[in-house]
Amino acid sequence: MATVPHGFNIDAPRWDQSTFMGRLKHFLNITDPRTVLVPEQELDRAKALVEACRTGQVPPGSSLEQLLYAKKLYDSAFHPDSGEKMNLFGRMSFQVPGGMALTGCMLQFYRTVPAVVFWQWVNQSFNAFVNYTNRNAASPISLKQIGVAYVTATGTALATAMGLNLCTKRAPPLLARWVPFVAVAAANCVNIPMMRQQEIINGVTVTDQNNNELGHSRRAAVKGIAQVVVSRITMAAPGMIILPIIMERLEKYPFMQQIRVLHGPLQVLLSGGFSLALSNLEVELRDSIVTKHGDKVPYVYFNKGL
């Protein structure tokens, strides 16, 4: 059991965030699905421990492992801006179990219009909830804006799915299996920017490496949201593109035709397997930073959300 080093900073990254592997380890750590099962009382204790460490009051007898685990729980369950506990279903640690279930169902029930409508609606409702939960707390959004974003994204997904379903009636069966992915991708391009439109309008807070606020940047907001859109689509792509190819071939075997009832659960499990498998700012803000701080701030930071 390692002792807590002198001057330990609990908010300092455990891994080098300037490298891909460092960022990968960081996000694997805070999106660990096992944290979904942690009791609420333990999450509250983790928050209290993290906040105590921030004030320099590390409880006697605390080990380094305990502090790092508390920070992991804190990052997985509490909003990075507001510090409020996030709803279980909106946490990024719930994305693997929640996403694998929805992906499997969308890929399994794609043949009829009612099934397509239902599962696309459920998926977009889930996505809207996740986007709202992980929004930038410094850019509040009204209930009206949330409603418009939700209806627009859901309508986009349903229109895309139903339209492509009709277009693929006479196409090879594999193309019909890819319709859910196209619908999800189209909806993500609408849902995320609409849900976080205030960040685009007002900009996001940018800070230096010591978390000192330097200003607000609309360009950083656009870049961050664009990265989220691309990452959401990229994360969905392997399972929703490759899995239909696998199922299209497997379903031709006699043994698979005898266990049709298990096709849905199988796709959910396989989807879970796939799920596991910033540069320039506005001239005005850049000039403001240079005027106030000179060349002492080589990099700035902002929360792009998830």
Side-chain angles (χ1 to χ4, degrees), residues 130-239:
V130 171
N131 292 336
Y132 176 74
T133 302
N134 292 278
R135 72 196 182 284
N136 190 316
S139 301
I141 182 172
S142 67
L143 290 177
K144 180 180 179 180
Q145 291 171 321
I146 294 172
V148 170
Y150 171 66
V151 171
T152 304
T154 304
T156 300
L158 295 181
T160 302
M162 290 189 293
L164 291 177
N165 249 20
L166 294 174
C167 294
T168 56
K169 288 293 184 183
R170 297 181 181 179
L174 183 58
L175 292 182
R177 290 179 179 270
W178 281 333
V179 167
F181 170 68
V182 179
V184 167
N188 272 328
C189 292
V190 174
N191 194 351
I192 298 171
M194 289 288 290
M195 189 65 73
R196 298 174 60 178
Q197 57 187 280
Q198 288 299 107
E199 298 173 37
I200 299 174
I201 297 172
N202 300 320
V204 293
T205 301
V206 295
T207 65
D208 61 14
Q209 63 269 32
N210 297 316
N211 207 34
N212 297 313
E213 183 175 330
L214 301 174
H216 291 77
S217 171
R218 290 188 295 273
R219 185 172 298 176
V222 171
K223 181 173 183 177
I225 292 171
Q227 289 175 339
V228 172
V229 171
V230 172
S231 66
R232 290 281 183 88
I233 295 174
T234 302
M235 286 189 294

Side-chain angles (χ1 to χ4, degrees), residues 219-289:
R219 185 172 298 176
V222 171
K223 181 173 183 177
I225 292 171
Q227 289 175 339
V228 172
V229 171
V230 172
S231 66
R232 290 281 183 88
I233 295 174
T234 302
M235 286 189 294
M240 300 191 80
I241 292 177
I242 299 174
L243 187 52
I245 299 175
I246 295 174
M247 292 302 297
E248 182 71 16
R249 296 192 177 186
L250 285 178
E251 289 179 3
K252 295 177 180 178
Y253 290 98
F255 79 92
M256 285 292 290
Q257 296 174 6
Q258 295 174 6
I259 56 169
R260 290 183 180 275
V261 70
L262 297 179
H263 288 190
L266 176 61
Q267 294 206 70
V268 169
L269 290 175
L270 291 175
S271 297
F274 279 108
S275 297
L276 293 171
L278 287 162
S279 139
N280 296 320
L281 298 173
E282 290 91 332
V283 173
E284 296 88 344
L285 177 58
R286 186 173 63 243
D287 290 345
S288 172
I289 294 172

Side-chain angles (χ1 to χ4, degrees), residues 5-76:
H6 179 70
F8 174 71
N9 180 3
I10 198 166
D11 290 313
R14 290 179 61 183
W15 300 278
D16 184 0
Q17 296 299 286
S18 66
T19 67
F20 172 77
M21 287 306 300
R23 293 191 296 271
L24 177 62
K25 290 178 180 179
H26 170 73
F27 283 105
L28 287 177
N29 186 55
I30 65 175
T31 59
D32 185 346
R34 294 174 297 180
T35 60
V36 171
L37 304 176
V38 175
E40 296 291 307
Q41 297 85 347
E42 187 171 350
L43 294 177
D44 292 334
R45 287 195 295 269
K47 181 181 181 181
L49 183 55
V50 169
E51 292 177 341
C53 289
R54 286 173 173 169
T55 60
Q57 301 174 349
V58 180
S62 299
S63 67
L64 181 60
E65 289 81 1
Q66 288 174 325
L67 296 183
L68 292 177
Y69 183 65
K71 186 59 163 61
K72 172 179 180 174
L73 295 182
Y74 178 86
D75 288 341
S76 72

